[in-house]
Amino acid sequence: MAHSSLAGKRVIITGGASGIGLGVVRFFASQKSQISILDISAASAESVVSSLRSEYPGVTFLSKKCDVADWDEQKRVFAEVYQELGGIDIVFANAGVTELGSFVQKDEGEPTKPNLRTLEINLIGNLYTVKLGIHYLRKNEAAYKGSIICTASNAGIYYFPIAPIYATSKHGVVGAVRSLAKSLELEGIQINALAPAVIATNIAKDRALFDNMILTPMSTAVSAVEEFVTNPKVTGAIAEISGEKFTYREQPEYIDESTEKNLDMFWTLGYA
Ligand SMILES: NC(=O)c1ccc[n+]([C@@H]2O[C@H](COP(=O)([O-])OP(=O)(O)OC[C@H]3O[C@@H](n4cnc5c(N)ncnc54)[C@H](O)[C@@H]3O)[C@@H](O)[C@H]2O)c1
């Protein structure tokens, strides 16, 4: 469906050269938005952008090499995009990788430092994108300043023993989105997350893995993004992406009234 409100919107998409990022790039291209793809692989981003330019003539695409886990690089790239597009309206913090290394490997001698690169990309890199997104959305003059969407995972909702650091990173994204929403709402900024089940992309080390899985179509992830960016009232939502439809997942019930009241009191008093 075409939404006139999305035409010309300036969109940043991290990890946009492949998979879910690319699926969402195509959605915004179909809406005639202006799209900047940030990806650690400059070559993939460049080649994707050159084919998108012929597929969607008249749509603006930028491609930028950016490792989201590198604050200085990401800060510089956001500044370039802001300069080149004249503003930023929608930020999709999506870049991510699977588990790298094994946290539970046995060490023969001294304990080895864990490989936390997955956390650095999926959680810290994601928070860098959110921080930069907030900074640039605040520059928009209208009362409604724009939308931030983060890609978490259903491994941010359920336990996932094969990839504990991946699960940690995605639980972190869910917690950040839920907790940032209230203060950002006061400034007219939306923040929401996708929590996808299995979508066939290049994230798997071996795509044969998908032969054993019940897959969720890309269109379900895209429909949640479409809802977020066309409904400014939705914020702090976690859309679980499984099957043909997305489903909002609430935080767990409060154990008792005092817990709910105390947590509200931190907010009311303005300090933690
Ligand atoms: N595919 C799934 O089943 C699934 C399920 C749940 C969540 N996710 C999440 O979706 C997001 C996108 O993954 P995907 O499945 O589309 O994978 P993908 O590998 O197809 O695409 C990820 C893109 O991110 C880029 N990238 C990787 N590290 C980066 C970095 N440090 N900085 C910038 N770009 C980087 C890659 O080059 C690639 O283009 C990830 O956050 C992933 O955890 C995927």
Side-chain angles (χ1 to χ4, degrees):
M1 186 181 169
H3 301 276
S4 55
S5 60
L6 296 178
K9 287 283 180 227
R10 299 149 303 186
V11 187
I12 281 196
I13 300 185
T14 71
S18 172
I20 296 172
L22 181 54
V24 170
V25 165
R26 288 183 180 284
F27 165 70
F28 283 111
S30 74
Q31 301 297 318
K32 303 195 168 16
S33 307
Q34 304 182 69
I35 300 151
S36 183
I37 293 179
L38 277 51
D39 205 284
I40 197 167
S41 168
S44 316
E46 227 359 275
S47 99
V48 155
V49 159
S50 88
S51 45
L52 287 167
R53 281 189 184 127
S54 36
E55 215 179 312
Y56 299 93
V59 173
T60 300
F61 294 99
L62 303 179
S63 95
K64 301 279 177 190
K65 191 264 158 192
C66 176
D67 175 356
V68 294
D70 179 338
W71 167 256
D72 292 334
E73 184 174 51
Q74 199 178 168
K75 181 178 151 203
R76 178 179 50 71
V77 169
F78 260 76
E80 283 173 18
V81 173
Y82 181 75
Q83 191 72 30
E84 288 170 48
L85 297 182
I88 297 170
D89 303 296
I90 295 170
V91 175
F92 186 34
N94 162 77
V97 292
T98 186
E99 190 92 348
L100 303 170
S102 167
F103 193 82
V104 292
Q105 80 175 26
K106 235 181 213 159
D107 298 318
E108 291 310 331
E110 293 278 303
T112 53
K113 188 176 176 191
N115 179 347
L116 295 181
R117 177 79 177 143
T118 299
L119 198 73
E120 285 160 9
I121 297 169
N122 295 8
L123 180 56
I124 296 177
N126 193 287
L127 289 173
Y128 289 164
T129 310
V130 170
K131 169 82 182 167
L132 290 162
I134 294 168
H135 177 82
Y136 285 100
L137 295 186
R138 275 180 179 145
K139 294 182 186 290
N140 294 332
E141 274 168 20
Y144 171 71
K145 306 221 171 286
S147 180
I148 300 173
I149 302 167
C150 298
T151 304
S153 166
N154 65 3
I157 298 175
Y158 307 113
Y159 76 107
F160 194 43
I162 192 68
I165 304 307
Y166 181 84
T168 304
S169 71
K170 298 301 189 178
H171 275 72
V173 172
V174 168
V177 166
R178 284 188 170 139
S179 303
L180 283 165
K182 200 159 170 166
S183 45
L184 293 181
E185 194 176 11
L186 300 174
E187 295 193 61
I189 296 174
Q190 262 180 298
I191 185 165
N192 295 291
L194 308 180
V198 186
I199 300 179
T201 67
N202 294 317
I203 198 168
K205 287 171 191 145
D206 177 1
R207 279 183 84 107
L209 171 78
F210 296 128
D211 297 344
N212 300 306
M213 302 277 173
I214 301 161
L215 297 174
T216 283
M218 184 68 75
S219 55
T220 310
V222 169
S223 65
V225 169
E226 182 174 12
E227 172 62 15
F228 290 150
V229 295
T230 54
N231 189 347
K233 289 208 173 90
V234 180
T235 197
I238 310 298
E240 186 166 3
I241 310 297
S242 182
E244 302 293 325
K245 284 202 318 210
F246 67 88
T247 307
Y248 288 131
R249 298 307 304 264
E250 301 302 325
Q251 69 162 356
E253 255 177 66
Y254 290 105
I255 188 166
D256 52 31
E257 214 177 298
S258 65
T259 300
E260 184 173 3
K261 276 199 171 146
N262 285 344
L263 287 171
D264 277 348
M265 193 55 71
F266 283 112
W267 172 260
T268 309
L269 297 176
Y271 58 81

